[in-house]
Amino acid sequence: MILIVDGLNRHRYSNLIDEMFALRARVFKDRLGWDVVVKDGKEIDEFDSLDPAYVLGLDDDGHVVACVRALQTTGPHMLSDVFSDILDGEPPLRSPTLWESTRFCVDTDRLSGGKSRNSVSYATCELMAGSLEFARESGITDIVTVIDPIMNRVLKRSDCVPYGYVGSTKPMGKTSAMAALLDCTEERINRIRAFAGIEGDIFVDDATARALEDGAETPSTATMASEPAQFAPEDAKATPSALQAWCQEQLGAASSTSERTAALDLVATLQDAGMIPEGTLSLNKV
């Protein structure tokens, strides 16, 4: 599942941001040998102070297993200020509808092989699709991304072939760097989804987003992530009778096995928490 963290909500997710920085340190410093600064086990650079947007890929336990950073090209960004050698003397591309995507990485230690939901392949494609969907909904038409040849091959294998490149490939650490161009079109997103078998909304719903906030005391993220977005009372201070009525409504509205299972799990959670008494609901579909 995908969570967007930006300058407006970053203060709510400092724990997840720290997980992201730690993942970046393991990938870019330890695995790839990039010349990046790591302090206290976290890789943070000057561009992280410019209020970028982060697209975080989370596992069912709410841990960061993939991430990418999105930054406007109208101001300082990595291609113009760090990787300018790639441009071969040409000026950087700048546009309010062209954003830069950098620090794309996936946790190969926590994730498995194959193409299952908890695999490296699935998490990679989900992050690609999520970042492009977020960009498109934000009015961004194109992405320029600084990648290495391995990531370039990943893009091609995932049916997300760049439509162009800027400048040329240059050495960087144990590998090399290049700048690729991607359009944020529905066609590209659908190709990625089809390749990985991704269906439905991949972004966290409001209830799960609240559960992921720093210090939140809520039912487990794994349970909430499996629930449709409507499985959350609008009034957090609802009375027991109101909660009973709402839960009964969700049980009656369930139109599939997965929805009914999610509704029953939620009922059990509320009963265990003493928020609604046992034996007060009809568990038969109405």
Side-chain angles (χ1 to χ4, degrees):
M1 55 184 173
I2 299 296
L3 175 70
I4 305 298
V5 179
D6 57 21
L8 296 177
N9 65 359
R10 181 170 174 171
H11 63 285
R12 302 176 187 171
Y13 300 106
S14 59
N15 291 334
L16 291 178
I17 292 297
D18 283 345
E19 282 191 31
M20 177 196 70
F21 288 142
L23 173 59
R24 282 171 31 174
R26 295 195 301 273
V27 171
F28 297 113
K29 181 70 172 182
D30 300 342
R31 189 196 311 163
L32 298 178
W34 286 16
D35 184 17
V36 295
V37 176
V38 173
K39 184 177 181 181
D40 297 328
K42 294 177 284 189
E43 188 274 307
I44 305 173
D45 65 16
E46 63 269 31
F47 301 100
D48 291 305
S49 66
L50 300 178
D51 283 337
Y54 300 105
V55 184
L56 305 183
L58 310 176
D59 64 13
D60 290 340
D61 294 323
H63 292 293
V64 177
V65 292
C67 62
V68 66
R69 179 176 65 192
L71 194 64
Q72 297 182 35
T73 59
T74 52
H77 59 285
M78 297 200 74
L79 185 56
S80 66
D81 297 85
V82 177
F83 299 128
S84 57
D85 286 351
I86 292 176
L87 300 173
D88 294 329
E90 295 295 322
L93 302 174
R94 296 186 185 274
S95 169
T97 60
L98 170 72
W99 278 41
E100 179 187 68
S101 171
T102 54
R103 293 302 197 258
F104 188 113
C105 60
V106 177
D107 193 339
T108 57
D109 294 327
R110 182 180 288 271
L111 296 166
S112 63
K115 287 191 175 182
S116 67
R117 174 179 167 80
N118 295 312
S119 68
V120 172
S121 176
Y122 188 96
T124 299
C125 291
E126 186 180 59
L127 186 63
M128 286 182 193
S131 59
L132 290 172
E133 287 184 30
F134 161 69
R136 185 186 62 183
E137 293 301 315
S138 302
I140 302 165
T141 60
D142 296 271
I143 296 290
V144 59
T145 177
V146 178
I147 56 177
D148 60 20
I150 295 175
M151 187 62 198
N152 192 46
R153 291 194 294 272
V154 170
L155 289 172
K156 292 179 178 179
R157 287 200 303 266
S158 305
D159 207 3
C160 187
V161 181
Y163 71 76
Y165 298 87
V166 181
S168 59
T169 303
K170 294 292 189 296
M172 181 178 60
K174 298 178 183 178
T175 180
S176 52
M178 62 180 68
L181 293 167
L182 305 172
D183 54 80
C184 303
T185 59
E186 186 174 356
E187 179 184 1
R188 180 179 294 276
I189 294 168
N190 288 341
R191 290 202 309 266
I192 298 170
R193 280 175 164 268
F195 173 83
I198 299 172
E199 298 179 350
D201 189 357
I202 58 178
F203 293 91
V204 300
D205 57 45
D206 291 342
T208 304
R210 289 193 296 271
L212 292 165
E213 291 180 4
D214 298 338
E217 295 182 4
T218 56
S220 70
T221 303
T223 299
M224 299 184 73
S226 68
E227 299 165 5
Q230 68 267 27
F231 290 162
E234 294 181 1
D235 184 0
K237 298 180 180 180
T239 63
S241 59
L243 281 173
Q244 289 171 215
W246 177 81
C247 287
Q248 192 68 68
E249 179 184 343
Q250 305 313 311
L251 287 166
S255 59
S256 67
T257 301
S258 61
E259 288 183 0
R260 180 165 174 75
T261 299
L264 290 171
D265 286 344
L266 183 59
V267 168
T269 299
L270 293 174
Q271 289 176 339
D272 290 343
M275 298 177 69
I276 57 175
E278 296 186 19
T280 58
L281 295 173
S282 171
L283 301 184
N284 295 320
K285 186 174 179 179
V286 296

